């Protein structure tokens, strides 16, 4: 659209937008006031029931796993056991209060944002969607949040505890601390918490007016000058909404700084143990405040550095690169971050709505790419026979999902690494028009931990130079059908290369990748989306079997469709010899059966 030029045109554009904004804002507030209490009730009641119901099991199993583990030495284990009652007793209170605050925020702001999104250029009936959008979708989203939280409490927690209780490899020594260091570590943490909390809180409060001013200044400039994210008419209402809500963002940033300062103060005890010096721990208490101040200056584009003292708290630390400790970024990383922020500025050719633009290169895109890739590759592997209906049945009924939850995502990521290596990409090609690099990758720690190793593995695969046809085909079969636990597992494989070093390197890459996927599978959203993926593959398998047999039989199965989808047990006991039961279907009803199963799912 044409950007207004001249003082009167800009003034008229600004004044004419005000009634438009206030009508949407009032409607959004009304929808939030109606939908909010419903969402709060769903999230708080459901999460509280899960927390209180599982609290005895979590309490007992946590102590049992810590006492049983061989990964912790005796002194550290004793310290952990003594300190465990405090977080375990506080967990119900923190969980319920967090659910209440999260429910209020989501239940109120989701309908408000949906009201503004309803005026997007791609929305057909804007008037209708302004009233409807954000109502049922927010309620469904609250049930999704409850489902993810339940998955974490039921499955992810026990998975972490089981990993803690696993046997320690022979070449790995347990983590322990020396008893003689405990008094000095405790003293450093005892001093660090009040000092760092008070000083970092003071710095955050001192910088908060700058953050408020910088944000309002930029938003008002974009609104009046119709630049940046507010170039399009559809984004203009978001300008006023962002201006009104910006103080909440500042309050949230200050609150996050206060909470993080507590853990920064506790970390002084870790410094004392690592450096075996109480003075180093005290130096860290002073230095971390300067690190925080410099980090804030970089984020707000203020003067570089900090006027606060910064003593050295590690013996072998370069004083000019201290700030890597707090932000895990040096000067080059900060320059990359600033450049990436400029490169990803919302412009009309690339963003149709503000929400779409905000989600660019965010974790949700990486997550969507992974499961979309698993869906496509799952169909291919199902067609080629590397996945069959029995694998899906075992996953749905017995919970034996290693082949689908670990090997399928691992192969999908391997294909991405192969394509990225062949194209000489500096990052990861997650789609034809999207490349994930260090400059535009999500800043969340979990995804930095996920993407960083993948970039290293891509370079390793690039050096191996796999053959396009033979070796990649063998690699696919080895990942999906073979074992990859020991180097000897590939001795009798069909992998064509005779270079044992090359095979060992490739096997190590795949083993590490499967370990990363196994850790990712504990994320609650992974489990929910994986369940949908398995159900989709089962429907595809049923339909493919019906089409292949035309009329008559689908692949042999011990379970009928209804029991599988509903999670029931093995059907029928008339055949004691274990004879497989044949399910007959008609090809003409294959599509109907597919929709019926989807409805039951």
């Amino acid at each position: 659209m044409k950007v207004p030029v001249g003082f009167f045109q800009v003034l008229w554009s600004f004044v004419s937008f005000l009634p438009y904004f206030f009508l949407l804002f009032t409607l959004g507030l009304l929808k939030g006031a109606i939908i909010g209490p419903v969402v709060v009730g769903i999230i708080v009641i459901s999460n509280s029931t899960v927390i209180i119901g599982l609290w005895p099991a979590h309490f007992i199993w946590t102590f049992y796993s810590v006492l049983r583990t061989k990964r912790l030495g005796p002194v550290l284990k004793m310290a952990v056991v003594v300190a465990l009652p405090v977080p375990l007793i506080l967990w119900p209170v923190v969980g319920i209060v967090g659910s209440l605050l999260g429910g209020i925020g989501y239940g109120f702001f989701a309908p408000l944002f949906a009201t503004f999104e309803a005026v997007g250029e791609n929305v057909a009936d804007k008037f209708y969607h302004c009233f409807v959008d954000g109502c049922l979708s927010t309620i469904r989203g609250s049930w999704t949040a409850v489902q993810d939280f339940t998955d974490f409490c039921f499955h992810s927690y026990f998975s972490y505890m089981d990993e803690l209780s696993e046997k320690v490899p022979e070449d790995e020594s347990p983590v322990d601390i020396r008893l003689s260091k405990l008094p000095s570590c405790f003293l450093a943490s005892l001093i660090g918490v009040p000092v760092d909390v008070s000083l970092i809180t003071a710095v955050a409060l001192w910088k908060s007016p700058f953050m408020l001013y910088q944000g309002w200044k930029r938003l008002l400039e974009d609104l009046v000058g119709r630049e940046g994210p507010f170039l399009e008419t559809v984004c203009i209402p978001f300008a006023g909404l962002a201006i009104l809500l910006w103080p909440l963002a500042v309050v949230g940033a200050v609150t996050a700084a206060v909470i993080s300062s507590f853990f920064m103060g506790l970390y002084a005890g870790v410094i004392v143990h690592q450096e075996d010096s109480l003075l180093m721990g005290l130096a860290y208490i002073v230095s971390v405040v300067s690190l925080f101040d410099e980090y804030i200056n970089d984020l707000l584009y203020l003067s570089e550095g900090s006027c606060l003292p910064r003593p050295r708290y590690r013996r072998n630390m370069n004083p000019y690169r201290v700030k890597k400790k707090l932000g895990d970024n040096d000067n080059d990383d900060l320059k990359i971050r600033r450049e990436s922020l400029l490169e990803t500025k919302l412009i009309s050719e690339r963003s149709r709505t503000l929400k779409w633009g905000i989600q660019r290169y965010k974790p949700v895109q990486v997550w969507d790419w992974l499961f979309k890739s698993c869906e496509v590759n799952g169909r291919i592997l199902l067609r080629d026979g590397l996945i069959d209906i029995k694998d899906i049945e075992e996953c749905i009924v017995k919970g034996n999902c290693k082949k689908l939850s670990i090997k399928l995502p691992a192969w999908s990521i391997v294909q991405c690494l192969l394509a990225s290596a062949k194209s000489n990409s500096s990052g990861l090609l997650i789609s034809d028009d999207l490349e994930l690099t260090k400059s535009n990758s999500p800043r969340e720690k979990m995804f930095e931990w996920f993407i960083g190793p993948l970039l290293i593995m891509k370079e390793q695969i690039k050096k191996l130079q796999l053959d396009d046809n033979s070796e990649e085909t063998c690699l696919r079969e080895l990942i999906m059908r073979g074992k990859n636990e020991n180097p000897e597992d590939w001795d009798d494989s069909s992998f064509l290369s005779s270079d044992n070093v090359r095979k060992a390197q490739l096997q190590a890459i795949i083993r590490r990748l499967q370990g990363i996927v196994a850790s990712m599978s504990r994320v609650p959203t992974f489990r929910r989306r994986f369940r949908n993926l398995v159900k989709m593959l089962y429907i595809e398998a049923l339909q493919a079997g019906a089409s292949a047999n035309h009329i008559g039989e689908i692949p042999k199965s011990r379970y009928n469709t209804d029991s599988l989808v509903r999670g029931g047990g093995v059907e029928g006991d008339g055949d004691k010899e274990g004879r497989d039961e044949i399910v007959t279907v008609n090809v003409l009803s294959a599509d109907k059966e597919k929709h019926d199963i989807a409805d039951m799912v």
Side-chain angles (χ1 to χ4, degrees):
M1 62 161 293
K2 184 178 179 181
V3 180
V5 179
F7 174 78
F8 292 103
Q9 291 184 0
V10 170
L11 180 62
W12 171 250
S13 176
F14 176 73
V15 173
S16 62
F17 127 89
L18 291 177
Y20 183 51
F21 163 75
F22 281 114
L23 286 175
L24 290 175
F25 186 67
T26 304
L27 179 59
L29 291 178
L30 181 62
K31 289 165 62 177
I34 297 174
I35 301 298
V38 178
V39 172
V40 171
I42 292 174
I43 293 179
V44 172
I45 294 175
S46 302
N47 287 358
S48 300
T49 303
V50 173
I51 291 172
I52 297 173
L54 288 177
W55 185 79
H58 286 171
F59 192 95
I60 296 172
W61 195 254
T62 302
F63 273 99
Y64 173 77
S65 300
V66 172
L67 292 173
R68 182 185 176 188
T69 183
K70 302 297 183 182
R71 298 180 182 273
L72 304 179
V75 178
L76 182 58
K77 184 182 295 186
M78 179 183 65
V80 172
V81 169
V82 171
L84 265 181
V86 175
L88 289 176
I89 292 174
L90 290 178
W91 160 238
V93 178
V94 174
I96 294 174
V97 173
S99 299
L100 176 63
L101 297 178
I104 293 174
Y106 179 70
F108 180 78
F109 287 107
L112 180 62
F113 289 141
T115 304
F116 285 89
E117 292 167 9
V119 298
E121 293 183 354
N122 296 327
V123 179
D125 191 351
K126 294 180 174 58
F127 183 80
Y128 170 78
H129 287 283
C130 283
F131 286 90
V132 174
D133 287 4
C135 296
L136 293 179
S137 61
T138 304
I139 296 176
R140 287 194 296 264
S142 64
W143 284 114
T144 301
V146 170
Q147 183 181 6
D148 288 345
F149 181 79
T150 305
D151 283 340
F152 177 81
C153 293
F154 266 104
H155 303 284
S156 301
Y157 163 79
F158 290 103
S159 178
Y160 283 118
M161 292 297 105
D162 291 341
E163 183 182 12
L164 182 64
S165 303
E166 290 178 355
K167 294 182 179 180
V168 180
E170 296 180 357
D171 58 343
E172 181 180 340
S173 58
V175 181
D176 203 358
I177 58 176
R178 283 188 288 178
L179 193 60
S180 60
K181 293 184 179 181
L182 282 180
S184 57
C185 294
F186 180 76
L187 178 61
S189 297
L190 193 63
I191 297 174
V193 170
V195 172
D196 285 340
V197 168
S198 57
L199 292 180
I200 290 177
T201 301
V203 172
L205 292 174
W206 173 256
K207 300 292 183 180
S208 59
F210 295 96
M211 183 178 180
L212 186 66
Y213 170 76
Q214 293 275 21
W216 269 343
K217 179 176 178 293
R218 178 61 184 271
L219 291 170
L220 287 171
E221 288 176 351
D222 290 342
L223 173 63
V224 176
R226 303 290 291 278
E227 297 175 354
F230 310 125
L231 179 62
E232 302 179 34
T233 304
V234 62
C235 297
I236 293 299
F238 284 100
L241 188 62
I243 292 171
L244 289 179
L245 298 181
W246 184 248
L248 294 180
V250 176
V251 172
V254 173
T255 304
V258 174
I259 295 174
S260 62
S261 64
F262 176 81
F263 299 99
M264 292 178 187
L266 286 177
Y267 195 76
V270 179
I271 297 295
V272 172
H273 184 270
Q274 292 176 344
E275 299 297 328
D276 195 13
S277 172
L278 178 61
L279 292 178
M280 290 293 179
L282 298 177
Y284 167 81
I285 294 173
V286 178
S287 182
V288 73
V289 181
S290 175
L291 292 171
F292 179 80
D293 183 43
E294 183 172 350
Y295 186 68
I296 294 299
N297 289 339
D298 290 332
L299 291 180
L300 297 180
Y301 296 96
L302 301 176
S303 59
E304 295 185 1
S306 174
C307 61
L308 300 176
R310 186 182 306 179
R312 295 180 60 179
Y313 57 90
R314 291 192 186 274
R315 291 186 174 89
N316 58 348
M317 182 177 64
N318 187 339
Y320 296 102
R321 303 178 71 87
V322 176
K323 65 179 175 181
K324 291 182 68 175
K325 182 62 190 173
L326 179 65
D328 292 331
N329 290 314
D330 52 14
N331 291 330
D332 294 336
D333 293 332
L334 288 170
K335 291 180 180 178
I336 292 175
R337 175 173 293 187
R338 290 186 176 187
E339 292 174 358
S340 65
L341 289 175
L342 294 176
E343 291 174 358
T344 56
K345 182 188 286 187
L346 304 179
I347 53 178
S348 58
E349 291 82 0
R350 296 182 183 179
S351 63
R352 292 292 96 189
T353 65
L354 184 61
K355 180 183 178 182
W356 189 93
I358 290 175
Q359 290 180 343
R360 298 181 73 226
Y361 305 123
K362 290 297 179 181
V364 65
Q365 281 187 301
V366 181
W367 220 229
D368 290 342
W369 159 77
L370 178 60
F371 282 95
K372 184 62 179 178
S373 179
C374 289
E375 179 181 341
V376 174
N377 285 287
R379 288 193 176 104
I380 297 173
L381 296 173
L382 195 62
R383 180 198 63 193
D384 296 342
L386 295 175
I387 294 177
D388 54 34
I389 196 170
K390 291 183 179 180
D391 297 326
I392 305 176
E393 290 172 350
E394 289 182 0
C395 181
I396 297 177
V397 178
K398 298 182 179 180
N400 183 15
C401 301
K402 183 177 181 180
K403 188 171 185 179
L404 293 177
S405 65
I406 304 298
K407 295 185 176 182
L408 176 57
W411 168 244
S412 300
I413 297 174
V414 167
Q415 279 197 313
C416 172
L417 297 179
L418 290 171
S420 302
K422 291 177 184 178
S423 63
N424 293 323
S425 170
S426 60
L428 301 176
L429 295 176
I430 64 176
S431 67
D432 294 337
D433 57 348
L434 185 58
E435 180 181 9
L436 195 63
T437 63
K438 289 184 178 180
S439 61
N440 62 23
S441 60
R443 297 299 172 189
E444 282 74 4
K445 287 297 180 183
M446 186 188 72
F447 281 87
E448 289 182 359
W449 163 83
F450 169 63
I451 294 169
L454 293 186
L455 295 174
I456 297 175
M457 284 186 272
K458 183 208 68 175
E459 296 299 326
Q460 293 173 340
I461 290 177
K462 184 177 180 180
K463 294 179 180 179
L464 293 175
Q465 295 180 348
L466 297 179
D467 182 78
D468 291 350
N469 298 321
S470 57
E471 289 186 336
E472 289 185 13
T473 302
C474 294
L475 182 62
R476 183 179 69 162
E477 295 184 0
L478 286 171
I479 293 176
M480 297 305 301
R481 288 180 174 174
K483 294 182 178 179
N484 197 40
E485 299 175 357
N486 301 307
E488 297 80 12
D489 293 338
W490 282 21
D491 290 344
D492 298 329
S493 66
S494 57
F495 195 70
L496 301 179
S497 177
S498 59
D499 188 348
N500 292 330
V501 175
R502 190 164 179 264
K503 291 169 62 176
Q505 291 175 341
L506 189 59
Q507 189 182 25
I509 292 173
I510 296 173
R511 186 162 53 244
R512 185 184 182 191
L513 182 59
Q514 289 180 342
I516 293 175
V517 175
S519 299
M520 289 170 48
S521 64
R522 299 189 181 110
V523 179
T525 53
F526 184 99
R527 183 174 180 83
R528 170 170 51 85
R529 299 190 66 164
F530 173 73
R531 282 197 299 263
N532 296 333
L533 174 65
V534 171
K535 293 169 184 176
M536 183 276 300
L537 290 178
Y538 185 68
I539 295 172
E540 293 285 340
L542 288 178
Q543 190 178 35
S547 301
N549 291 278
H550 299 291
I551 296 179
E553 301 177 355
I554 65 171
K556 293 182 178 181
S557 171
R558 291 176 293 172
Y559 319 109
N560 68 0
T561 301
D562 185 71
S563 64
L564 281 169
V565 175
R566 299 177 188 273
V570 177
E571 182 191 64
D573 56 358
D575 191 353
K576 301 299 183 181
E577 303 296 328
R579 177 174 56 85
D580 289 341
E581 180 177 333
I582 299 176
V583 183
T584 59
V585 294
N586 192 303
V587 170
L588 297 178
S589 64
D591 291 336
K592 181 179 183 300
E593 181 182 1
K594 178 179 178 181
H595 292 297
D596 292 341
I597 297 174
D599 293 337
M600 289 188 288
V601 169

